[in-house]
Amino acid sequence: MIISKFYYLRKNLYTMAELVLEQVILLSEALEADDYTQAEKIVERDDLIDDLEKENDNLSQNAILEAVSNRNILGMGDVDNDIVLKKDPLRFALSAIRITRNMERMGDQVVNCADVFRHKTIRKGLFKNEEPMTLILSRVTTLAGMAIESLVEEKERFMGSVNSLEDELNELCDQAFQKYRSVPDMEKQEFADVYRIILALERLGDYAVNVAEELVRLNTGKDIRHLENVKSKSSSYP
């Protein structure tokens, strides 16, 4: 009975992950095809992700209580360094909360993009024919795919690639902002909406990276968030 609760939590987490990735792919297709109808559907589907986020949150909290009160029954009473940390149900339940919230925020950013796009203020062909927007869409979709695949496989093998893609995405978003703020025939409203989408896509990528980082913590016990910032600060000391 106890173990089955963790299996159900895992299954529900995967369902949410697949739905979020599907939303990301649908958004990319809608933007590239100037498909406003699909953008409307993306916004409407957000309730499915929100419902799963609430359900997963409740499941995770219940799983934490079960894990704390039944660690000996679950075989985790005497944890040593030789035990793979991801097999600890308590660690998994705690990670599930953080992963769920990041995936819900990924879904929110998808909806933010679709909501802006369906207003039809942005010129057609922008996301299909113009760099760096085409590259931004590609990198965001790849980042989301890596994070979700890592989650389903319960591995952190994409971590190095994820960090490189995040850096590239951030640079592309900056390039896009610099490019479109100086386009002479772009109205203020169009630029504002393009900028909102750029920001939402960048944040979407950030949340995907958060999922990947949490998987490293789940698998190894190491918290690698902001690790580069720590290294750069320490290297500046005499």
Side-chain angles (χ1 to χ4, degrees):
M1 174 67 74
I2 296 172
I3 296 296
S4 65
K5 289 186 178 181
F6 290 95
Y7 283 137
Y8 185 68
L9 170 59
R10 180 180 284 108
K11 182 180 178 181
N12 222 42
L13 199 63
Y14 295 168
T15 299
M16 182 180 184
E18 290 169 358
L19 182 57
V20 169
L21 180 57
E22 186 177 338
Q23 285 280 82
V24 174
I25 293 172
L26 288 174
L27 174 67
S28 180
E29 293 174 349
L31 295 178
E32 289 179 346
D34 293 308
D35 190 338
Y36 305 112
T37 301
Q38 184 151 300
E40 294 280 356
K41 291 179 180 178
I42 290 170
V43 175
E44 293 170 1
R45 282 161 48 96
D46 188 51
D47 287 342
L48 299 174
I49 295 176
D50 290 341
D51 290 342
L52 282 168
E53 190 267 340
K54 294 175 184 176
E55 187 175 356
N56 283 347
D57 192 54
N58 289 330
L59 284 169
S60 297
Q61 292 184 48
N62 290 332
I64 288 171
L65 293 175
E66 290 286 355
V68 169
S69 59
N70 297 284
R71 284 173 70 79
N72 289 331
I73 297 175
L74 292 168
M76 300 304 299
D78 298 312
V79 178
D80 58 41
N81 293 332
D82 294 328
I83 294 178
V84 178
L85 293 174
K86 72 175 181 178
K87 292 182 179 179
D88 182 345
L90 178 57
R91 183 179 293 278
F92 174 75
L94 290 168
S95 285
I97 291 178
R98 291 186 282 261
I99 291 171
T100 293
R101 289 176 180 169
N102 278 296
M103 289 197 300
E104 190 271 337
R105 289 165 183 165
M106 288 174 67
D108 284 346
Q109 298 308 319
V110 170
V111 171
N112 288 345
C113 290
D115 189 40
V116 170
F117 181 69
R118 65 179 177 170
H119 295 157
K120 303 181 181 180
T121 58
I122 299 173
R123 64 194 63 189
K124 291 186 176 182
L126 184 75
F127 298 96
K128 182 178 181 180
N129 303 320
E130 294 192 22
E131 292 187 6
M133 295 308 301
T134 56
L135 294 176
I136 289 173
L137 281 180
S138 173
R139 301 306 182 267
V140 166
T141 304
T142 302
L143 270 174
M146 284 181 169
I148 300 308
E149 185 175 342
S150 295
L151 172 60
V152 173
E153 293 184 358
E154 294 187 16
K155 296 179 180 179
E156 74 279 1
R157 63 188 178 90
F158 288 127
M159 197 59 236
S161 299
V162 164
N163 284 331
S164 297
L165 275 173
E166 182 188 24
D167 291 341
E168 186 178 353
L169 174 62
N170 292 339
E171 184 176 344
L172 287 168
C173 288
D174 183 61
Q175 290 176 13
F177 171 73
Q178 299 298 334
K179 175 179 179 178
Y180 293 112
R181 74 172 183 173
S182 60
V183 173
D185 64 335
M186 183 169 281
E187 298 291 335
K188 290 183 178 179
Q189 185 59 57
E190 182 183 9
F191 171 73
D193 286 347
V194 169
Y195 183 49
R196 289 188 186 101
I197 290 179
I198 291 171
L199 283 179
L201 290 173
E202 184 177 20
R203 288 169 182 163
L204 200 165
D206 289 341
Y207 291 129
V209 172
N210 289 349
V211 171
E213 289 176 341
E214 185 58 38
L215 289 167
V216 174
R217 175 158 53 182
L218 176 60
N219 280 273
T220 69
K222 297 178 181 178
D223 188 347
I224 62 170
R225 294 174 300 167
H226 316 301
L227 193 58
E228 291 301 319
N229 292 339
V230 173
K231 288 181 179 178
S232 63
K233 288 180 180 179
S234 62
S235 64
S236 65
Y237 297 146

